[in-house]
Amino acid sequence: MPVQRRPKRSADPVAAASDDLAKELNTAYPDAVIDYIQHFGHIPDVFKGRVIAVDSAGFDCLYTIHGQPKRRELRILFDRVAETIDEAKDMLKAMAKEAHVVLHQNVDKTYVSPNAKKYKDWTAPKPRPAALLSVVWVVALAGALVDDDLLPHSSLVVARQHAGGMFVMEKVLIAIIVMHAVETLVAIGLCLYARVPAKATLQWIPTVFIFGVPSLQDCLRVCVRHAMHRDPVTFGVPEGVLNGDYMKYRRIITDADLATNELSAVDDSK
């Protein structure tokens, strides 16, 4: 690839937006940053990385390798000079896609081995909690809505009176409905985030509303499984976490790392 010198920042519209572009790459596309360094820098044992500057000719990175905390610098060039910020973003996206396909071999995740464990996107509630919640619903509905003369036995009338009468039972029923409605909204949000199939999502709505927390726990397990199988490149990182431990897990050199003594030296050997 021909050598391209860094253009002057004042004359380079891409370099003028360098800080914003670098922050976006480090926070929103941390996996792509590691892929850039591994693929275009030919550094397979990279441990952490960070984009520090972007201009019309390419971008600069810091990285560390496994077992060596010293930071090193790397210059990665575009295949052509970017005239605008949008053109630079398009080239960065294309490079991220190329690196991801090469490094991760574009594995077809839809294939399922014949011997693989079969997972269900929706499961019926277990018998014991289902029976318990059914009793709770029957008691709450009967206590709040059924008149004394319609109850099948006089002992039930006495029991309701000891519990506080129909007024108290109505409050209990409302509380149950509100709690289960909140749990249902949580289940819907989890299913949408994890991209659970629409059919299973629609099945979880009445299941969680009727059976509450036990079914919400089952729904959560399904959502976690779906989220873990999503392409890691699609996972975004919220703004404002560049200084947090979460970013360290994502293998990005953080602001806190830059301030530590153990990473204070920079090696320009690469």
Side-chain angles (χ1 to χ4, degrees):
M1 185 178 292
V3 176
Q4 299 176 2
R5 295 183 179 179
R6 295 181 180 87
K8 293 183 179 180
R9 191 178 183 116
S10 58
D12 186 348
V14 179
S18 174
D19 293 341
D20 292 337
L21 289 172
K23 181 179 179 182
E24 181 179 358
L25 288 170
N26 292 323
T27 55
Y29 307 101
D31 299 297
V33 173
I34 302 300
D35 287 349
Y36 288 144
I37 298 170
Q38 286 182 319
H39 179 59
F40 295 103
H42 306 289
I43 304 168
D45 54 349
V46 61
F47 177 55
K48 287 188 176 183
R50 179 186 180 108
V51 175
I52 56 175
V54 184
D55 55 58
S56 60
F59 54 99
D60 300 315
C61 302
L62 291 179
Y63 71 94
T64 62
I65 61 178
H66 286 280
Q68 299 183 23
K70 183 179 291 186
R71 294 194 308 272
R72 303 164 186 243
E73 288 187 350
L74 174 68
R75 174 73 173 171
I76 298 176
L77 300 177
F78 296 141
D79 58 358
R80 65 184 187 279
V81 175
E83 301 293 338
T84 64
I85 296 175
D86 289 337
E87 188 177 355
K89 288 183 176 181
D90 290 340
M91 284 193 278
L92 287 167
K93 290 178 182 178
M95 293 172 71
K97 183 177 181 179
E98 175 187 334
H100 181 71
V101 169
V102 173
L103 294 172
H104 305 284
Q105 300 178 354
N106 201 22
V107 178
D108 182 8
K109 297 183 179 181
T110 61
Y111 172 76
V112 179
S113 170
N115 298 323
K117 182 178 179 181
K118 290 180 169 49
Y119 294 98
K120 296 181 179 180
D121 292 331
W122 175 85
T123 57
K126 296 177 177 62
R128 183 174 297 180
L132 177 61
L133 268 298
S134 297
V135 171
V136 171
W137 275 109
V138 169
V139 171
L141 289 170
L145 304 176
V146 180
D147 294 331
D148 291 346
D149 55 346
L150 296 178
L151 290 173
H153 199 277
S154 59
S155 60
L156 297 177
V157 178
V158 175
R160 179 166 63 183
Q161 291 175 350
H162 283 295
M166 292 186 66
F167 177 78
V168 172
M169 296 303 296
E170 288 174 357
K171 298 297 183 184
V172 171
L173 178 60
I174 292 173
I176 292 174
I177 292 174
V178 171
M179 288 189 296
H180 284 232
V182 171
E183 292 161 359
T184 303
L185 291 175
V186 172
I188 294 172
L190 290 172
C191 289
L192 293 176
Y193 174 77
R195 300 177 187 173
V196 175
K199 179 180 178 180
T201 300
L202 294 175
Q203 289 176 309
W204 281 118
I205 292 174
T207 306
V208 174
F209 181 76
I210 295 172
F211 299 106
V213 172
S215 290
L216 180 59
Q217 291 175 335
D218 294 336
C219 177
L220 178 60
R221 294 188 189 97
V222 172
C223 292
V224 169
R225 174 167 53 82
H226 274 272
M228 289 177 64
H229 281 79
R230 287 170 57 184
D231 189 332
V233 172
T234 65
F235 274 107
V237 180
E239 292 290 337
V241 299
L242 193 56
N243 291 306
D245 292 335
Y246 180 65
M247 289 303 295
K248 293 182 180 180
Y249 174 75
R250 296 306 295 267
R251 299 171 63 187
I252 289 294
I253 296 176
T254 67
D255 294 339
D257 288 334
L258 295 177
T260 59
N261 292 329
E262 64 176 357
L263 297 178
S264 58
V266 176
D267 184 0
D268 296 328
S269 59
K270 279 282 182 183

